[in-house]
Amino acid sequence: MECKNCELRQRQFYCASCLKTHVRDFRLQTQHFASDRDEHIAKGTKALTRIEVFRNDRATVSTLQDHLKDLGQGLEKLKRSNDSKRERLRLLREQLAARRRTLSAAKLLPSPPLDQTISKETQELHALSGAITRARIGLVQELIEVFNIVEVGGRPPIGGRAGTKGEWTIGDLILPVPGDIRRYPPDHINAVITHTIHFLGLLTFYLGVKLPFDIQWDQKRFAVGRPWIGAIKGTESGGWSKWSKKQPLHLSSSSTMPSSATALSSSTSESYIDANETASESSFTTAFAMLLYNVCYLAHTQSVEIPLSQAGDALSNLWGICCSPELGRRSHQTVPPLPPPTSSSFSLDFAQLLQATAAKPAARARIRPATWSPMVRSPRHPERIIEEDGWEMVDEAGEDAFS
């Protein structure tokens, strides 16, 4: 209704009885529509149930169709694989038939004897071995020239008096025998041993020979630092394999060189190294014996046999190896092969060599003049060579160990 004063539409007001009537009507309508709703829901649910069955059937059919498609693709792939295998089998049969025909034809032809084929291969192998040997000999000759290994000094036989051998040098430095090492300063010994190690390493590399004692450097790089030596893994032949602990192949430079006056008046027991060997000096003696053992074994591989009495003259033995007529013929790396170090044919025992190396020098030691220098005189100036009697090394039994 509208207000008579402001003419605005206002809410319509009902009495309580009218409200009850309207509420009853609304409730009846709600119940009527609820029953219709439930009827429609039941019909829809029933229809959806039938549709769900149809959907499940269609899904099953689709899955079966996909599976059938996969089986068809697999069958096609298997057919292609079978076709390729049949083709390969056909080719193999043709090749086998061709080989059989060739073999049948070869049986009808006169075949060369097997001995002739082996002889040809043997000749080629010998020719290759000869070429390798000549190449090794050439490298060794150049190596000798580079390191300048020569013999200086000595005295020829005069008036029935036996001559004396000279001293061997490498790089113009004397490498003394074990009994003479005490007469040289440590710097000289270290320098000449380093030269010898380099020469021996290159020589074994050229000849393809593996030595029983391996040399390493404390700086983990070749020729850098100080050398150490120890046995590799090997057989019990020669008694060397148990010496696997690294020994110092160098002397400490703390020892001093005696004065000229002292050198002139020294007794037979004086040396640049104290006569009472310390543990380090004993280790150096062991290491030096290992180096000498390496040289002797290398000589054995090149058909040069060195007796125990000559094992201490390392440079002379190396020279004999380089002059061997069998130089470079056998190796650990080429044919004919060498057995691993050391075989039973190598009779030198390391314990005997170590005992001879550690033996004290004989009482009659030579005394150098006051002007003596540890550096060797060059072989190009023979007038400066001083002739002296050599030392003799004797072991505990009184027999000569080195001459």
Side-chain angles (χ1 to χ4, degrees):
M1 72 181 191
E2 297 180 357
C3 180
K4 296 180 178 179
N5 295 325
C6 60
E7 298 181 355
L8 295 175
R9 183 176 292 280
Q10 300 295 328
R11 294 184 61 183
Q12 190 174 4
F13 295 96
Y14 297 93
C15 62
S17 59
C18 292
L19 288 174
K20 291 180 180 179
T21 302
H22 285 297
V23 169
R24 185 180 67 250
D25 294 339
F26 284 140
R27 186 178 293 112
L28 292 174
Q29 292 178 1
T30 301
Q31 291 176 355
H32 176 71
F33 289 129
S35 61
D36 291 342
R37 182 199 61 193
D38 294 340
E39 183 179 357
H40 286 295
I41 289 175
K43 290 181 180 179
T45 302
K46 184 177 180 180
L48 289 176
T49 302
R50 295 179 61 186
I51 292 174
E52 186 69 22
V53 173
F54 294 150
R55 291 180 63 185
N56 291 336
D57 293 341
R58 291 178 61 186
T60 303
V61 171
S62 178
T63 302
L64 293 176
Q65 288 177 349
D66 293 340
H67 183 61
L68 183 61
K69 185 179 179 179
D70 293 339
L71 291 176
Q73 293 178 354
L75 181 60
E76 292 295 331
K77 184 177 180 181
L78 184 60
K79 287 181 179 179
R80 291 193 297 269
S81 177
N82 290 338
D83 293 339
S84 63
K85 290 181 178 179
R86 287 193 186 98
E87 183 65 20
R88 183 172 179 272
L89 181 60
R90 184 184 63 82
L91 294 176
L92 291 176
R93 286 177 177 175
E94 292 179 355
Q95 293 177 1
L96 180 60
R99 291 182 179 180
R100 286 176 177 174
R101 290 193 298 268
T102 304
L103 182 60
S104 300
K107 289 180 178 179
L108 299 176
L109 297 175
S111 59
L114 181 61
D115 295 340
Q116 182 178 357
T117 304
I118 296 177
S119 176
K120 181 180 178 181
E121 297 295 334
T122 304
Q123 291 177 359
E124 293 179 356
L125 182 60
H126 287 171
L128 180 59
S129 299
I132 294 176
T133 301
R134 290 190 295 271
R136 287 171 175 167
I137 292 174
L139 291 173
V140 171
Q141 291 176 353
E142 294 180 0
L143 190 64
I144 293 176
E145 295 295 332
V146 170
F147 281 86
N148 191 26
I149 297 181
V150 295
E151 183 181 11
V152 297
R155 181 180 62 244
I158 300 176
R161 182 183 178 185
T164 59
K165 294 183 178 180
E167 294 174 318
W168 285 87
T169 65
I170 178 172
D172 293 339
L173 292 176
I174 296 175
L175 178 61
V177 294
D180 284 350
I181 289 180
R182 297 175 174 277
R183 301 171 48 251
Y184 291 82
D187 291 341
H188 175 94
I189 299 300
N190 291 337
V192 71
I193 286 180
T194 301
H195 288 340
T196 307
I197 291 173
H198 290 175
F199 179 83
L200 184 60
L202 290 173
L203 182 60
T204 53
F205 174 74
Y206 292 155
L207 298 179
V209 176
K210 188 175 184 180
L211 299 177
F213 292 99
D214 180 48
I215 298 175
Q216 297 181 0
W217 303 81
D218 55 6
Q219 298 297 326
K220 306 301 182 182
R221 296 178 61 185
F222 179 73
V224 178
R226 297 173 300 179
W228 296 72
I229 187 171
I232 63 175
K233 293 183 179 180
T235 61
E236 295 297 331
S237 177
W240 56 271
S241 59
K242 63 181 180 180
W243 297 84
S244 58
K245 182 180 179 180
K246 299 296 181 183
Q247 304 293 336
L249 195 54
H250 56 272
L251 289 175
S252 173
S253 58
S254 60
S255 301
T256 58
M257 180 177 176
S259 61
S260 300
T262 306
L264 285 173
S265 60
S266 61
S267 64
T268 57
S269 63
E270 286 182 330
S271 63
Y272 293 137
I273 304 174
D274 196 324
N276 298 321
E277 287 188 345
T278 62
S280 60
E281 294 164 1
S282 177
S283 299
F284 170 77
T285 303
T286 304
F288 193 67
M290 294 177 179
L291 180 64
L292 298 179
Y293 194 84
N294 275 351
V295 175
C296 294
Y297 174 71
L298 179 61
H300 172 74
T301 62
Q302 307 305 310
S303 301
V304 178
E305 299 300 330
I306 298 176
L308 179 62
S309 59
Q310 299 179 7
D313 204 347
L315 292 182
S316 176
N317 296 333
L318 288 173
W319 176 267
I321 294 172
C322 297
C323 297
S324 172
E326 300 295 325
L327 180 67
R329 296 186 182 276
R330 302 185 66 195
S331 168
H332 286 113
Q333 300 177 353
T334 57
V335 177
L338 286 171
T342 57
S343 61
S344 58
S345 59
F346 183 59
S347 58
L348 181 60
D349 186 77
F350 178 74
Q352 297 178 357
L353 180 60
L354 178 60
Q355 182 182 4
T357 306
K360 303 298 181 182
R364 55 180 191 89
R366 60 183 176 183
I367 301 177
R368 292 183 176 270
T371 58
W372 172 81
S373 171
M375 302 299 291
V376 70
R377 277 70 61 193
S378 173
R380 292 185 292 273
H381 303 284
E383 65 276 3
R384 300 178 60 184
I385 297 174
I386 302 175
E387 297 181 357
E388 299 171 333
D389 293 335
W391 276 16
E392 292 184 358
M393 290 292 299
V394 295
D395 54 14
E396 295 178 357
E399 298 179 352
D400 291 345
F402 301 111
S403 58

